[in-house]
C-alpha cells in the first residue's frame, strides 16, 4: 500500500505511526454509519456515529480505549485484515444502488491511507466488518 506521497507501507513502524482510523459503510436504502478511533496521548477514543435514517438512537456513542487496546486494534487492521494489500478502489459499475464504504487511516506525518468501494469489496471484507461490529457492539450499531 502507498501513502498519498507514494511511500510504501510494509513495516511495524508505520503501524505504530497511525493516529486515527475511520470506517464508514451504508447504502442507498439503509442506514449509513461511521466509526472513528483516534489516538489521543496515552489513550484512544472510539466514536460510533449511527445514521440519521436509523430507527432509535441517532446520537454518537463514545468509548475510551487504553493505549494497549489501540495498539492491538490498529495492529489487527494491518496484520489480520491486511488493508495494506487492499486496492484503493472497489467499484461494481453494474449495480446502481447498494453498499458504499470507506476505510481511512491517518499517520502521524499527516499521510492518509484510503480505500473505498461501491458494491464491491476486498476478499476479507466480511471478516473485517465482523471485527468492526465486535469492536462497536457496546453502541448497538451494526454494519
Amino acid at each position: 500500500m502507498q501513502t498519498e506521497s507514494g511511500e510504501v507501507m510494509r513495516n511495524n513502524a508505520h503501524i505504530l505511526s497511525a493516529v486515527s482510523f475511520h470506517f464508514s459503510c451504508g447504502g442507498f436504502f439503509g442506514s449509513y454509519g461511521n466509526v472513528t478511533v483516534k489516538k489521543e496521548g496515552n489513550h484512544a477514543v472510539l466514536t460510533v456515529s449511527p445514521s440519521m435514517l436509523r430507527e432509535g438512537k441517532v446520537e454518537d456513542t463514545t468509548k475510551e480505549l487504553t493505549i494497549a487496546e489501540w495498539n492491538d486494534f490498529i495492529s489487527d487492521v494491518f496484520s489480520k485484515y491486511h488493508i495494506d494489500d487492499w486496492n484503493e478502489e472497489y467499484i461494481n459499475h453494474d449495480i446502481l444502488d447498494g453498499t458504499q464504504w470507506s476505510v481511512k487511516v491517518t499517520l502521524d506525518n499527516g499521510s492518509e491511507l484510503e480505500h473505498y468501494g461501491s458494491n464491491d469489496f476486498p476478499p476479507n471484507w466480511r471478516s473485517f466488518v465482523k471485527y468492526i461490529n465486535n469492536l462497536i457492539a457496546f453502541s448497538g450499531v451494526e454494519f
Side-chain angles (χ1 to χ4, degrees), residues 22-135:
H22 182 80
F23 170 78
S24 63
C25 186
F28 184 76
F29 294 108
S31 63
Y32 202 96
N34 296 288
V35 175
T36 302
V37 187
K38 287 186 179 181
K39 184 178 175 184
E40 297 181 358
N42 62 354
H43 69 281
V45 176
L46 167 60
T47 304
V48 181
S49 303
S51 168
M52 294 298 288
L53 298 175
R54 180 180 157 85
E55 290 183 24
K57 190 175 188 180
V58 294
E59 294 181 9
D60 290 358
T61 304
T62 61
K63 178 181 178 181
E64 188 170 310
L65 303 178
T66 66
I67 201 67
E69 289 171 321
W70 160 260
N71 288 337
D72 288 346
F73 166 73
I74 204 66
S75 179
D76 284 350
V77 166
F78 285 98
S79 301
K80 287 185 180 177
Y81 300 101
H82 306 284
I83 68 165
D84 48 339
D85 292 333
W86 290 4
N87 297 332
E88 180 180 336
E89 172 182 286
Y90 292 84
I91 306 291
N92 182 337
H93 296 285
D94 295 328
I95 301 173
L96 300 178
D97 297 326
T99 302
Q100 289 74 48
W101 61 271
S102 68
V103 173
K104 178 170 69 173
V105 176
T106 304
L107 306 178
D108 60 6
N109 66 4
S111 296
E112 294 179 336
L113 313 167
E114 295 188 80
H115 307 279
Y116 59 91
S118 181
N119 306 309
D120 196 14
F121 310 93
N124 57 353
W125 178 252
R126 288 188 180 167
S127 61
F128 176 74
V129 171
K130 183 177 180 181
Y131 178 77
I132 296 298
N133 283 334
N134 287 336
L135 178 72

